[in-house]
Amino acid sequence: MGEDRNSFIFRLLLTLFVILAINFFLPRMMPGDPFSTTSADEVGEEIIVMTEEQRLYYMNYYGLDRPLHEQFLVYMKNLMTGDLGRSIYYKMPVSDVIMLHLPWTMLIVVGATVISTVSGVVLGTFSAKNRKKGSDRIMMTGLIAFAEIPSFLLGLILLLVFSVYLRLFPLAGAITPFADYNGPAEQAWDILYHAFLPVVTLSLSQLTGVYLLTRNTLITVITKDYIRTARAKGLGEKTVWNRHALRNALLPVVTRTGFMIGIMMGGVVLVESVFSYPGIGMTLRSAVVGRDYPLIQGILLVIAVSILICNLLVDKIYGKLDPRVVI
Amino acid sequence: MSLLKINDLKCHYLTDISTVKAVDGISFEIEEGEILGIVGESGSGKTTVALGIMGLLPENAAISGEILYRDELISSLPESGMDRFRWKDIAIVFQNGLEVMNPVLKVGVQVTEPMIRHLEISPGKARSKCADLFRTVGLDPKWMDLYPHQLSGGMRQRVLLAMALSCEPKLLILDEVTSALDAFTRKEIRDLLVDLQKEKGYTMLMISHDITFVSSVASRIAVMYSGKVVESGPVRDILVSPRHPYTRGLVHSTPDIFVYKDLWGIPGDVPAGEEFKGCPFRPRCTQKIDICNKASPVLMPVGGGREIACHRGGIAGLLEARNLSFSYRLPDGEYLQAVDNVNLEVREGEVLAVVGQTGSGKSTLAHILANVIRPEYGEVLFMDGNVSGGNYGNRVNGIQIVFQDPFSSTSNRFTVLDAVKEPLYINKIGSNGDRLQMVKNALELVRLPNTDNFLSKYCGELSGGQRQRVALARAMVMEPKLLIADEITSALDVSTSANVLRLLKGLQNRRGFAMIYISHDLSLTLKIADRIAVMNSGKIVETGNSHDVMLSPYDEYTKRLVGSRIGLCCHNH
Ligand SMILES: Nc1ncnc2c1ncn2[C@@H]1O[C@H](COP(=O)(O)OP(=O)(O)O)[C@@H](O)[C@H]1O
Ligand code: SF4
Ligand SMILES: [Mg+2]
């Protein structure tokens, strides 16, 4: 056990190191640097054009003129003390920038995970119960076709239909700017109102996967001997499905949810951009455009770590759900 | 009113390629407090019956007929209607398979679950009842909090039993509950079941391919074959005198019942799936007649609470000897009573051994039965015809005899071909070409080469074992229904005689003829005989199931015979 634990921690550290290295070198391999960008990210933003003198001054100020390996060592050393560095664009600590935007991303990712999992399981169960019937066929064909649409395209369509034409939802942002709330309920409502379309877009992109997995696993599980035993006990179809079949069918769904969060963390960049939703996805995009190395590094690190955490959690939860797994 | 009544139940599985008639028209009743056993080979439809009663057949099963529980029709109830009866009235103990219990629920939860539902008691109350049940089935209640995979096979089987008992069902169905267990655990479970039944008076339907296990618990058994019941009746009667050829095969191939006999299964397979007209056992039956191909026999009462489905009323008699007597006149003018008022019966497909010391009259009896000599008194009937009038030795499917001394039956001056062909020639059977082929087939049967080289050998050139096989081939070429083998191995050395004996038993098993095996050697006899007749001074002093004769002989002479055998092989007695 102790042996296992040590090697586990070693593997975790190695993974982290590789991620850190990639995070560090990849942005620096892109052409350009933070001070020679000429393009503006957002329309209307003033373009600051620096003189060569200014540029060299800032490069020196941020230590970007030093050899790469030296920069990397400094980065690692600072990281040990919890210092992610300062954002060049925002002119404040990277951790503060992340803390400002991460909650929004968490909100829509967690929301989308919950919604797609719950509705995928519910629809999958319905389909499995009605397998080979019309309702199952229609639902399955429809959802599979639906899954072919890329999520940013889906987001654009939703934005056009519900925000631009129907004006049911906001065009951008996570809250109404300069709003004066009468109490937390109204504030919560405003947040949900803004998060709605991004969450729906993300959820829809994951729904089919969960649905198919639930349906197919259930169809296998329902032929098992223990289901026959449960039926023999006269427990009723509801108990048979919900307690005996679903509990077993949910095991692979849980594993999938872990991976799903990882996939969504990537997808969130596009979706947030489409809805101009101020999460770390959108922040990452502008950081890349502005070659804001410390910020890029910080956000990528956060994404990587959260994927790692999710996978760990999944293993833990799986172990709790399936008694046959020894952890 | 019987607790459960089944009328003409049929369960057919519809698969993509064919329809499997897993259960094809069976009827039986179970009285309150009774234990009915259903036995049959695997695939005969036993589990399907159990699932049919519980209403648990898979979607591809088509069911017809009636299942009545306390006169209430339960065979056509919807799922929810069936739930009223499940577990509270009828519960089932499944075979302990890997996934028969839910892998993600604790076993205690799985036992309490039906109690909470059907008995409407609180979870706490159910838990304490569960602990009691665990103790009843011989498990420590601490195992309640384990998961199925953490228990051994025997423990799981006990949990399954506790689960089935949890709502105190009126009828308990047990499907192969001990088949996957070791002998020791099997015995424990058996004793547990017997105790439970005595204490609580459960009505049980016990299903297994293991006739020994079932018969040690049940009071009545039904033998299933290919989806039909072929024989039913009180356990004891069926074990002692099975009447259907299939039942006999089942009983005789069970090591626990026939301790001394070598095991010879029932040749052939259960026909599955095909459209079957006629008796399903036909391909394996040794006594089939024309009608067996055309119509399926129905289960008919034959008295004594027994029922049989067979066009011939079960195992048919083949040969009957009545009051046979024969005496030799000695040179001094005295008469020696060699055969003294002997009555004997041989049934289809069975091996009857006649044992006795040299000089007890066995060979004389054999000669009379084969119509070689005529009895002074009495008669021999073969297939209901008189032997002396019917000349059964001269026809195909008649009686053939092989003698002790191969040198007398096969002349030195004959070639192998001539020796085997002679009976065909004498009796004008087949053309010359046919005869050659028949000889070759017969030689192959007795595992002799049928090359031209061997055919043209003289019998004088052969070894004793080979010569005895030639004699056997000479008998087999006539395809006898009854073969009388008179001390055929006594002139051979031990290993050759063991080989010839195995060959003979194998032939008998495959070809399905009946045999009278005459010998002075009790040990050898026990290896192949179904029944034994013990002969002493011209009289048959005891007949019976070879196992019973061996274990509990009643005649003094038999006891001596058995005793001499035991004395020989077991030094500590
Ligand atoms: N679900 C099924 N679909 C098709 N055939 C089946 C199914 N279950 C059982 N059978 C067939 O039905 C016959 C009887 O099976 P079963 O009742 O399990 O016999 P037993 O319990 O006596 O071994 C076998 O030939 C088996 O292959
Ligand atoms: S005699 Fe006919 S009916 Fe009887 S078991 Fe044999 S084949 Fe079936
Ligand atoms: Mg079975």
Side-chain angles (χ1 to χ4, degrees):
Chain A
M1 192 69 213
E3 191 78 357
D4 267 10
R5 194 159 206 105
N6 285 342
S7 82
F8 171 75
I9 289 172
F10 174 75
R11 266 188 297 135
L12 197 69
L13 288 178
L14 191 71
T15 316
L16 261 179
F17 179 79
V18 172
I19 289 170
L20 285 174
I22 294 175
N23 283 353
F24 179 84
F25 290 106
L26 212 58
R28 284 170 174 75
M29 274 150 63
M30 294 187 293
D33 60 63
F35 312 105
S36 52
T37 36
T38 48
S39 68
D41 183 25
E42 269 158 69
V43 196
E45 198 185 359
E46 58 180 302
I47 305 166
I48 313 157
V49 184
M50 291 185 187
T51 62
E52 187 59 15
E53 212 168 289
Q54 278 175 309
R55 196 180 80 87
L56 288 177
Y57 169 76
Y58 279 113
M59 289 292 275
N60 177 266
Y61 177 80
Y62 284 101
L64 294 177
D65 53 353
R66 284 194 267 166
L68 271 185
H69 65 271
E70 244 173 72
Q71 290 184 40
F72 185 62
L73 280 179
V74 172
Y75 170 59
M76 291 297 282
K77 220 164 69 195
N78 291 342
L79 210 57
M80 296 289 172
T81 63
D83 180 8
L84 290 177
R86 285 183 73 83
S87 160
I88 298 165
Y89 176 80
Y90 289 91
K91 317 234 174 351
M92 55 187 203
V94 166
S95 49
D96 290 0
V97 180
I98 289 175
M99 285 328 279
L100 217 56
H101 295 95
L102 188 61
W104 299 122
T105 301
M106 298 232 321
L107 176 70
I108 59 171
V109 167
V110 170
T113 306
V114 171
I115 288 174
S116 60
T117 306
V118 170
S119 47
V121 167
V122 169
L123 294 180
T125 310
F126 173 84
S127 237
K129 279 186 188 171
N130 296 288
R131 69 192 169 284
K132 289 184 184 161
K133 287 192 202 149
S135 50
D136 167 46
R137 293 233 169 89
I138 292 170
M139 189 177 279
M140 188 156 77
T141 324
L143 281 173
I144 289 176
F146 193 73
E148 295 299 317
I149 309 172
S151 58
F152 73 91
L153 191 64
L154 188 69
L156 271 178
I157 296 169
L158 291 179
L159 188 73
L160 279 175
V161 174
F162 291 97
S163 303
V164 178
Y165 292 113
L166 299 176
R167 295 179 184 282
L168 286 174
F169 290 100
L171 282 164
I175 44 168
T176 310
F178 319 112
D180 226 353
Y181 298 119
N182 296 320
E186 204 181 305
Q187 184 182 3
W189 177 250
D190 189 51
I191 290 172
L192 288 182
Y193 173 67
H194 280 82
F196 188 80
L197 282 184
V199 167
V200 166
T201 308
L202 269 181
S203 305
L204 286 178
S205 71
Q206 297 304 319
L207 175 65
T208 309
V210 182
Y211 160 81
L212 281 179
L213 188 64
T214 309
R215 177 187 178 276
N216 297 345
T217 318
L218 266 178
I219 284 175
T220 320
V221 163
I222 209 72
T223 62
K224 299 273 186 189
D225 283 353
Y226 54 80
I227 297 298
R228 193 180 63 189
T229 307
R231 288 218 169 98
K233 292 198 276 187
L235 302 172
E237 278 301 279
K238 223 163 137 186
T239 315
V240 169
W241 279 91
N242 295 347
R243 188 184 172 99
H244 288 267
L246 210 52
R247 266 193 83 129
N248 283 281
L250 280 184
L251 297 175
V253 174
V254 167
T255 316
R256 201 202 132 82
T257 305
F259 296 126
M260 197 165 83
I261 294 182
I263 298 168
M264 275 204 268
M265 282 302 231
V268 88
V269 178
L270 291 172
V271 173
E272 283 180 1
S273 303
V274 169
F275 292 99
S276 306
Y277 196 78
I280 52 164
M282 208 176 79
T283 315
L284 177 66
R285 185 169 164 254
S286 51
V288 167
V289 171
R291 302 287 184 270
D292 191 345
Y293 298 150
L295 189 54
I296 298 176
Q297 280 161 208
I299 292 176
L300 288 180
L301 183 65
V302 164
I303 291 178
V305 167
S306 54
I307 291 174
L308 278 180
I309 291 176
C310 281
N311 287 345
L312 279 180
L313 274 179
V314 164
D315 280 353
K316 277 263 183 297
I317 294 174
Y318 196 93
K320 280 249 182 316
L321 288 180
D322 190 345
R324 286 163 297 187
V325 178
V326 192
I327 35 166
Chain B
M1 179 183 74
S2 47
L3 189 64
L4 188 80
K5 191 171 157 88
I6 290 187
N7 270 332
D8 197 26
L9 179 70
K10 293 184 180 164
C11 309
H12 297 178
Y13 292 110
L14 315 170
T15 66
D16 295 338
I17 23 176
S18 63
T19 302
V20 181
K21 297 183 174 176
V23 173
D24 200 23
I26 72 168
S27 308
F28 60 81
E29 287 180 43
I30 307 177
E31 302 295 331
E32 195 121 24
E34 182 189 29
I35 304 186
L36 174 70
I38 295 186
V39 292
E41 288 163 296
S42 121
S44 55
K46 306 178 302 291
T47 298
T48 307
V49 173
L51 295 180
I53 296 171
M54 295 296 299
L56 290 172
L57 288 172
E59 283 169 5
N60 68 332
I63 175 170
S64 74
E66 291 179 323
I67 301 171
L68 297 152
Y69 175 79
R70 292 202 154 134
D71 286 346
E72 200 170 334
L73 189 70
I74 58 169
S75 44
S76 48
L77 288 178
E79 224 17 46
S80 55
M82 200 56 217
D83 281 345
R84 268 198 306 132
F85 294 93
R86 287 177 182 154
W87 236 245
K88 247 176 108 169
D89 289 296
I90 312 174
I92 182 167
V93 185
F94 288 108
Q95 179 172 354
N96 158 43
L98 207 58
E99 290 199 311
V100 74
M101 274 188 277
N102 197 324
V104 301
L105 293 177
K106 288 177 181 160
V107 294
V109 170
Q110 299 189 55
V111 174
T112 50
E113 188 180 42
M115 291 194 265
I116 296 169
R117 171 139 199 133
H118 297 299
L119 308 180
E120 282 154 14
I121 55 178
S122 70
K125 183 98 192 302
R127 228 185 118 77
S128 76
K129 277 194 78 165
C130 177
D132 291 341
L133 281 166
F134 266 51
R135 278 186 280 268
T136 309
V137 300
L139 283 174
D140 192 313
K142 73 178 178 211
W143 305 122
M144 276 163 67
D145 290 322
L146 292 188
Y147 291 95
H149 73 277
Q150 294 168 312
L151 302 178
S152 72
M155 290 161 89
R156 271 203 297 259
Q157 193 67 68
R158 284 170 204 267
V159 173
L160 284 165
L161 187 58
M163 192 151 88
L165 296 175
S166 62
C167 296
E168 303 197 352
K170 308 292 170 300
L171 172 66
L172 195 59
I173 303 175
L174 303 116
D175 187 6
E176 305 275 12
V177 287
T178 59
S179 307
L181 304 177
D182 60 273
F184 186 72
T185 319
R186 187 172 349 179
K187 168 126 181 36
E188 282 188 337
I189 299 258
R190 189 208 82 99
D191 294 345
L192 179 64
L193 287 173
V194 172
D195 288 349
L196 273 175
Q197 209 275 339
K198 275 202 194 109
E199 222 172 279
K200 302 251 172 83
Y202 283 113
T203 312
M204 295 192 202
L205 176 62
M206 183 162 290
I207 293 171
S208 176
H209 67 270
D210 181 352
I211 191 168
T212 320
F213 170 70
V214 170
S215 49
S216 71
V217 185
S219 48
R220 211 153 52 86
I221 54 178
V223 180
M224 263 187 94
Y225 187 82
S226 190
K228 293 189 163 72
V229 173
V230 294
E231 174 162 12
S232 75
V235 165
R236 196 57 219 153
D237 298 349
I238 289 199
L239 283 191
V240 172
S241 60
R243 304 249 326 237
H244 193 280
Y246 175 66
T247 316
R248 176 177 64 190
L250 207 61
V251 171
H252 286 187
S253 58
T254 303
D256 295 328
I257 299 175
F258 272 67
V259 185
Y260 302 102
K261 206 180 144 193
D262 278 350
L263 289 185
W264 295 87
I266 311 162
D269 286 313
V270 187
E274 295 143 47
E275 275 304 316
F276 228 89
K277 257 186 18 208
C279 175
F281 190 60
R282 184 189 67 221
R284 300 166 88 175
C285 186
T286 59
Q287 56 170 51
K288 51 186 170 266
I289 49 176
D290 280 349
I291 188 169
C292 303
N293 290 319
K294 293 175 194 124
S296 174
V298 283
L299 198 62
M300 304 258 265
V302 290
R306 298 181 69 166
E307 292 176 308
I308 285 177
C310 174
H311 288 307
R312 302 196 61 182
I315 301 164
L318 189 63
L319 178 115
E320 200 186 345
R322 292 192 197 133
N323 311 330
L324 296 181
S325 292
F326 189 88
S327 45
Y328 291 106
R329 194 175 162 195
L330 302 177
D332 58 5
E334 291 285 303
Y335 282 91
L336 176 83
Q337 192 76 29
V339 173
D340 190 1
N341 196 17
V342 163
N343 290 294
L344 199 74
E345 199 202 350
V346 181
R347 280 167 286 190
E348 283 270 4
E350 83 173 345
V351 179
L352 171 72
V354 179
V355 277
Q357 284 166 324
T358 343
S360 55
K362 306 186 300 289
S363 288
T364 311
L365 177 62
H367 285 71
I368 296 172
L369 294 178
N371 201 25
V372 179
I373 52 177
R374 297 230 170 167
E376 283 165 1
Y377 301 102
E379 54 178 352
V380 180
L381 299 173
F382 180 68
M383 294 173 83
D384 300 329
N386 194 295
V387 167
S388 31
N391 244 343
Y392 287 93
N394 300 344
R395 59 169 72 168
V396 174
N397 293 344
I399 305 174
Q400 290 297 318
I401 183 163
V402 181
F403 297 104
Q404 177 170 358
D405 174 12
F407 304 99
S408 66
S409 59
T410 54
S411 159
N412 277 342
R413 286 170 294 107
F414 270 12
T415 61
V416 171
L417 177 63
D418 291 338
V420 180
K421 200 169 70 174
E422 194 189 32
L424 296 174
Y425 177 74
I426 295 173
N427 299 307
K428 301 190 176 57
I429 297 163
S431 69
N432 244 331
D434 292 344
R435 284 178 198 159
L436 182 64
Q437 193 51 49
M438 287 155 91
V439 169
K440 286 188 171 182
N441 292 346
L443 286 173
E444 197 178 311
L445 272 181
V446 299
R447 307 259 165 78
L448 280 176
N450 53 11
T451 55
D452 291 342
N453 183 18
F454 188 78
L455 284 171
S456 54
K457 271 194 177 169
Y458 284 101
C459 291
E461 303 170 38
L462 303 176
S463 71
Q466 278 179 324
R467 216 155 157 179
Q468 196 56 290
R469 283 173 197 240
V470 171
L472 212 52
R474 194 179 138 94
M476 292 317 297
V477 83
M478 298 291 281
E479 294 178 21
K481 281 219 75 101
L482 175 67
L483 183 75
I484 302 175
D486 184 9
E487 299 269 16
I488 59 164
T489 62
S490 52
L492 307 173
D493 65 81
V494 181
S495 104
T496 317
S497 86
N499 280 337
V500 169
L501 201 65
R502 275 197 79 78
L503 173 77
L504 190 62
K505 178 60 194 172
L507 270 178
Q508 188 271 331
N509 197 53
R510 264 182 299 134
R511 313 281 292 189
F513 53 82
M515 181 154 74
I516 299 178
Y517 181 80
I518 293 171
S519 174
H520 65 273
D521 185 339
L522 191 57
S523 312
L524 272 186
T525 306
L526 284 168
K527 290 223 166 286
I528 66 167
D530 303 325
R531 281 197 309 134
I532 289 186
V534 181
M535 211 169 168
N536 185 24
S537 313
K539 288 192 170 66
I540 301 262
V541 292
E542 179 162 359
T543 30
N545 188 320
S546 59
H547 166 76
D548 289 342
V549 171
M550 190 62 207
L551 282 190
S552 46
Y554 68 80
D555 182 82
E556 279 310 314
Y557 176 74
T558 317
K559 281 180 190 162
R560 282 218 314 276
L561 208 62
V562 170
S564 71
R565 176 182 176 270
I566 290 174
L568 207 94
C569 72
C570 312
H571 300 287
N572 52 350
H573 279 276

